[in-house]
Amino acid sequence: DKTQCSPVSVAGGLEASTSTNRDLEELKSKLREISLDDDTCVAKVTPERIYSVACHPSPHQIIACAGDKSGHIGIWNFDQYGSDSAAESNDDMTKSSSDDVHLFKPHGGAVSSLKWNSSGTNLLSCSYDGSVRAFDANKQVFQEIFATYDDNDIYKEKIGYNTDRGYSSWVQSMELDHRYGSDGKCFFLSTSEGSVIHVDLRSKAKITFNSFLSEKKINTISLHPNGYAMATAGLSTVIQLWDLRNMGTKSNKGHKPFAWQNAGKSINSAYFSPSGSRMVTTTMSNNLDILKDAHTSSGLIKVPEHRIRHDNMTGRWLSTFMACWHNLPICGEEVFLVGSMQKPRTIEIFSGRSGKVLHEIRGEALTAVASRCCFHPSRLVVVGGNSSGRVTVAYDRS
C-alpha cells in the first residue's frame, strides 16, 4: 500500500521503531492527502444511531461496517459506490443499488462491538440482546455462536447458561483473544453488571471463566500483546489491569488487579497500542490519557505519560467517543484516532508517542459528529460513524 510506510515487526508482537523528524514529516504528508471532499465518501449504512464500526481487513478493498442502536448491521462496499448492481431483498437483508450497502438485522438490541477475524471471512458482532453472532462473508448469513441465558433448567445445555442476570444485564463489549489464533473462536465479553466472560468455541465450546471484576458496567476490555495482561474500564472510574494467568477458573472470587489508575469520572474506553507499550483512555473527565508501560506497573498509576484535554461531552443523543489505535505503526509512529466536537466537524489523529495532534480530517462529506471511528487494519483509511446512521470513509485518492 503506497499510503503506508513499512511497519516494524518483531517476534512476539509489533513494536514501533523510533521515528525520526523525516519519518514524522512523511507521516504528516501522507495524512494531509486523506480526502473527505466528495459526496461519494459518505453513505447511509444503518437506520439508526451507530454504536460500532469496523473495516474489513482486505488490502485491496474498502468495506466499511456499522452496527446501530436497534440491532442492524450495515456492510458498505465502498469501492462499488454508485454501481448498477440489481437491488435484492429478503427477510434478513436489503441491498441498495445506489451505494452498495447490505443491511442486516441479526440482533434485537444495540450492536456494541464489531470485529473481523484476520482472514476477513467472518464478522463477529455482540449486542445488548446478549448474543454473539458470526457473519459468514461467503454465504452472507449470520449464525448465533453464543448467547447469555438465565438459570432456567431448559437452558442447562447452553454454553451461556446462568450468565444472564435479568433486565439490567447485557453484553457491553467484545475483545478477540489473539492467544489462540486469529479466527475469532475465542473472545472476551464484558457486561453491564461488571463481569468479564471468556468464551472458547474450539473443539468443545465452553466458558473458561466468568468473573465479576467491577461493581459497575465495564465498557471495554483490551488484551495486551503479551497475552496475559488485560485492561478493563467503565463506570467505576478506574482502569484496572489483570493477570489472566491468575484467572483460569470460573470462580467469581479472589481476583485482584495488579495495577490501576483513577480517572475521576467514567471511562468510555481503554485500549493497548499494537506494541503494548502504551494505552490510550477516553474519559468523561474530558481527557485522553496515554499510559506508558501500564502492563509492567504495580499498584496505583499516579500520572499518565500524556494527558490531552479533549471535549468528550457528546451528550444524550450521540454515541460516546472511544479513541482507538491503528493496527500497525506508520513511519515509526503508533497513532490513534478519535471523533471531535469541533466545528467544522473533525476526526483527529494523534501520535501515541508525543500525544500531539498529527492531523485533523475535515471535508464536505463530514457534516456530523463521527462518534465511533476506526482505521483500516493495514491501510491509511479512516471510517467514522455518526448518530444518524451515516458512515464516512476518508482515504488517500492520489
Side-chain angles (χ1 to χ4, degrees):
D1 186 345
K2 65 182 180 180
T3 65
Q4 181 167 310
C5 305
S6 299
V8 178
S9 180
V10 296
L14 293 163
E15 183 174 308
S17 64
T18 302
S19 59
T20 63
N21 288 336
R22 182 178 177 182
D23 291 334
L24 192 57
E25 289 307 311
E26 185 178 0
L27 172 57
K28 288 181 178 180
S29 175
K30 292 181 183 299
L31 292 173
R32 285 194 294 269
E33 293 170 358
I34 294 176
S35 172
L36 266 179
D37 290 322
D38 190 322
D39 59 7
T40 61
C41 291
V42 62
K44 178 78 168 176
V45 174
T46 63
E48 298 193 44
R49 183 203 302 189
I50 290 174
Y51 274 53
S52 53
V53 291
C55 197
H56 189 276
S58 168
H60 309 296
Q61 290 181 294
I62 301 174
I63 300 174
C65 309
D68 80 0
K69 179 180 178 179
S70 295
H72 297 92
I73 294 176
I75 300 177
W76 179 22
N77 190 337
F78 176 79
D79 295 323
Q80 296 298 315
Y81 186 93
S83 67
D84 295 325
S85 54
E88 303 173 2
S89 66
N90 58 38
D91 290 341
D92 296 319
M93 178 183 77
T94 59
K95 180 180 178 181
S96 164
S97 60
S98 62
D99 53 19
D100 209 51
V101 173
H102 298 254
L103 183 63
F104 299 80
K105 181 74 164 58
H107 292 285
V111 181
S112 50
S113 294
L114 289 172
K115 305 283 185 181
W116 283 100
N117 65 355
S118 62
S119 64
T121 55
N122 285 284
L123 173 67
L124 272 65
S125 59
C126 77
S127 169
Y128 287 9
D129 67 9
S131 69
V132 179
R133 294 179 181 267
F135 172 72
D136 187 313
N138 295 318
K139 297 178 181 177
Q140 295 199 9
V141 293
F142 278 88
Q143 178 184 6
E144 183 178 283
I145 58 174
F146 177 81
T148 58
Y149 295 93
D150 59 30
D151 58 0
N152 192 306
D153 287 346
I154 64 173
Y155 302 126
K156 270 194 171 181
E157 300 304 314
K158 300 289 187 179
I159 309 170
Y161 171 72
N162 199 25
T163 54
D164 187 340
R165 307 270 193 262
Y167 179 77
S168 62
S169 176
W170 63 83
V171 175
Q172 181 66 24
S173 70
M174 173 174 56
E175 170 85 339
L176 300 186
D177 187 348
H178 57 71
R179 297 175 299 173
Y180 304 111
S182 54
D183 59 0
K185 294 292 185 182
C186 298
F187 49 85
F188 298 90
L189 302 173
S190 73
T191 74
S192 58
E193 293 191 307
S195 64
V196 171
I197 303 169
H198 182 262
V199 181
D200 184 346
L201 298 178
R202 290 175 298 169
S203 59
K204 187 177 180 180
K206 60 183 178 179
I207 291 176
T208 61
F209 72 79
N210 177 15
S211 301
F212 281 91
L213 303 182
S214 174
E215 295 180 353
K216 297 183 179 181
K217 180 176 71 172
I218 295 176
N219 282 328
T220 61
I221 309 164
S222 184
L223 181 62
H224 190 275
N226 66 20
Y228 60 83
M230 179 181 73
T232 59
L235 298 191
S236 70
T237 75
V238 180
I239 299 144
Q240 295 180 301
L241 290 105
W242 311 85
D243 190 332
L244 290 177
R245 295 170 295 186
N246 300 328
M247 300 173 70
T249 70
K250 292 186 180 182
S251 170
N252 286 330
K253 300 178 180 179
H255 300 311
K256 294 183 179 180
F258 65 81
W260 58 92
Q261 186 214 15
N262 296 313
K265 292 187 178 180
S266 64
I267 305 155
N268 298 343
S269 62
Y271 294 118
F272 286 112
S273 67
S275 70
S277 62
R278 288 178 171 87
M279 178 193 295
V280 61
T281 70
T282 311
T283 76
M284 294 309 291
S285 299
N286 280 339
N287 292 322
L288 302 175
D289 281 355
I290 299 175
L291 309 183
K292 186 176 181 181
D293 296 327
H295 63 292
T296 63
S297 300
S298 178
L300 177 64
I301 302 171
K302 295 181 180 179
V303 181
E305 180 185 25
H306 300 292
R307 172 158 285 170
I308 306 161
R309 293 297 294 169
H310 192 267
D311 183 2
N312 295 327
M313 298 299 173
T314 52
R316 179 178 179 182
W317 306 110
L318 305 183
S319 298
T320 56
F321 293 143
M322 302 175 80
C324 61
W325 300 90
H326 196 295
N327 279 14
L328 299 171
I330 306 169
C331 300
E333 287 279 341
E334 289 188 310
V335 299
F336 64 89
L337 85 172
V338 67
S340 173
M341 297 299 291
Q342 290 185 54
K343 292 182 180 179
R345 297 309 183 194
T346 304
I347 298 172
E348 299 169 300
I349 299 178
F350 289 84
S351 163
R353 179 177 54 83
S354 69
K356 295 181 179 179
V357 176
L358 295 174
H359 186 58
E360 295 179 329
I361 303 173
R362 298 189 178 105
E364 294 179 5
L366 191 62
T367 59
V369 175
S371 294
R372 296 293 162 90
C373 305
C374 72
F375 283 109
H376 184 286
S378 62
R379 296 173 59 183
L380 201 48
V381 173
V382 170
V383 175
N386 69 30
S387 289
S388 64
R390 286 179 170 79
V391 169
T392 305
V393 173
Y395 71 110
D396 176 10
R397 290 176 174 270
S398 62

